């Protein structure tokens, strides 16, 4: 019998604790072992029964979530998923949590339309199970998460048709397409900080809730030489600029003559995500072909694996982050298994590969 992912919920709202418990326990691969209303109660429960994953609210009485997170990371590292309301102000705080060692972010379940609650529940369960696999300060979680029961998982076909197979003539301009998930926020920061201001244009899908991608882009823009922003529909892809897909929207690469731009649109979850790396990569295979470069980084699941194979088949140069430097090796591993990866490198070599490929062209 495969062990379930054991979760401790920490939130001062009784209704949130109750709803999160119901959402998580509806997944047969997850067991909620307890719930606490503040960090002091949580610390006591952790001493009694060590969870695989903690979901942690940011604003709580007696001690805020960021302070408690830092204590966990310094004393007994456990994968922590931050649980937040959908606010602009909160998104800035959540970025601090990711820098302090949290592995991912979930939004508190929205009680409303059934389809919204279903999608919210799906992401919450996927993130929690992914977190159980995460390397936390170099140490893997003790137990691994089991795969959940069969669920319909749409491919990029739900958003756009497959590439035609016709090879596209290579031009002088290269477009870099990047996909990342769990652990990706800090990995992307490390990679982007190494790029000079005249780097090739880049488009990125990082699995993240809406609102947080805008704050993430603003944060990166203060740290990096390249210009970074959350993508808007019709934004051009320019040298020295990076566009990050907005949370809860798919982003596609389009071409008009010699000009590349992005299309931001609604659509169903693809590979259980929106934005989806598979959607971006497929669009790059269709619109850029051998003019593109694909990079897949740390993350759980297989989003991007099929799309990277399509990019590879269209003539793009493709790179995957290696296992040793990945917080979770799932997405790169699946892309390699699908046969779409030309080269596997450590995180600190990815920027070098991008610049080397740009010079080669």
């Amino acid at each position: 019998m495969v062990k379930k992912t054991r979760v401790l919920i920490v939130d001062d709202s009784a209704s949130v604790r109750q709803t999160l418990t119901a959402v998580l326990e509806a997944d047969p691969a997850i067991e909620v072992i307890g719930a606490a209303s503040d960090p002091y109660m949580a610390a006591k429960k952790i001493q009694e029964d060590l969870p695989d994953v903690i979901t942690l609210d940011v604003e709580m009485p007696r001690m805020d979530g960021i302070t408690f997170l830092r204590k966990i990371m310094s004393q007994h590292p456990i994968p922590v998923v931050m649980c937040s309301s959908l606010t602009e102000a909160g998104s800035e705080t959540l970025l601090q949590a990711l820098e302090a060692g949290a592995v991912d972010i979930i939004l508190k379940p929205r009680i409303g339309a059934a389809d919204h609650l279903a999608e919210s529940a799906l992401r919450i369960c996927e993130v929690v199970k992914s977190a159980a696999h995460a390397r936390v300060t170099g140490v893997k979680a003790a137990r691994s998460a089991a795969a959940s029961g069969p669920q319909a998982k749409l491919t990029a076909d739900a958003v756009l048709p497959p590439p035609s197979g016709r090879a596209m003539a290579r031009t002088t301009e290269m477009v870099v397409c990047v996909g990342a998930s769990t652990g990706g926020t800090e990995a992307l920061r490390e990679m982007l900080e190494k790029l000079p201001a005249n780097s090739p244009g880049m488009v990125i899908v990082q699995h993240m809730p809406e609102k947080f991608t805008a704050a993430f882009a603003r944060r990166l823009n203060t740290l990096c030489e390249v210009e970074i922003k959350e993508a808007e529909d019709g934004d051009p892809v320019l040298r020295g600029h990076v566009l990050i897909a907005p949370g809860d929207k798919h982003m596609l690469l389009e071409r008009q003559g010699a000009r590349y731009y992005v299309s931001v649109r609604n659509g169903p979850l693809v590979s259980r995500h929106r934005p989806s790396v598979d959607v971006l990569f497929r669009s790059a295979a269709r619109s850029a072909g051998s003019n593109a470069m694909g990079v897949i980084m740390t993350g759980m699941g297989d989003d991007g694996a099929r799309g990277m194979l399509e990019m590879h088949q269209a003539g793009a140069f493709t790179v995957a982050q290696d296992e040793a430097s990945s917080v979770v090796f799932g997405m790169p591993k699946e892309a390699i298994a699908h046969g779409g990866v030309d080269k596997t490198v450590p995180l600190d070599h990815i920027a070098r590969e991008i610049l080397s490929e740009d010079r080669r062209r």
Side-chain angles (χ1 to χ4, degrees), residues 345-356:
V345 299
L347 172 60
D348 60 3
H349 287 194
I350 293 176
R352 184 189 309 173
E353 289 295 331
I354 292 169
L355 298 175
S356 174

Side-chain angles (χ1 to χ4, degrees), residues 146-284:
S148 63
Q151 293 171 309
K153 185 161 78 167
L154 300 179
T155 70
D157 291 344
V159 176
L160 74 167
S164 65
R166 295 191 299 273
M168 183 173 290
R170 179 168 287 181
T171 66
T172 54
E173 281 302 314
M174 180 176 78
V175 179
V176 183
C177 303
V178 182
S181 187
T182 310
T185 52
E186 286 301 289
L188 285 168
R189 178 192 56 76
E190 184 174 330
M191 182 265 283
L192 292 169
E193 282 182 332
K194 288 182 166 66
L195 293 176
N198 66 339
S199 297
M202 183 179 294
V203 286
I204 297 175
V205 164
Q206 162 70 46
H207 295 155
M208 223 175 184
E210 55 184 309
K211 301 284 188 187
F212 298 105
T213 42
F216 179 50
R218 286 194 299 270
R219 168 71 172 146
L220 290 176
N221 194 49
T222 66
L223 301 172
C224 304
E225 291 186 32
V226 288
E227 293 288 327
I228 303 169
K229 71 182 289 282
E230 183 185 61
E232 297 176 73
D233 190 49
D235 275 347
V237 181
L238 304 171
R239 180 167 285 271
H241 289 70
V242 176
L243 298 173
I244 296 178
D248 203 38
K249 302 279 188 184
H250 289 303
M251 182 173 71
L252 289 71
L253 183 69
E254 307 275 10
R255 181 172 179 165
Q256 189 172 46
R259 170 180 170 268
Y260 290 105
Y261 66 97
V262 294
S263 171
V264 174
R265 62 177 74 168
N266 294 313
L269 298 178
V270 171
S271 300
R272 301 198 180 114
H273 294 283
R274 185 177 55 242
S276 163
V277 182
D278 269 329
V279 169
L280 174 62
F281 283 2
R282 170 171 286 186
S283 71

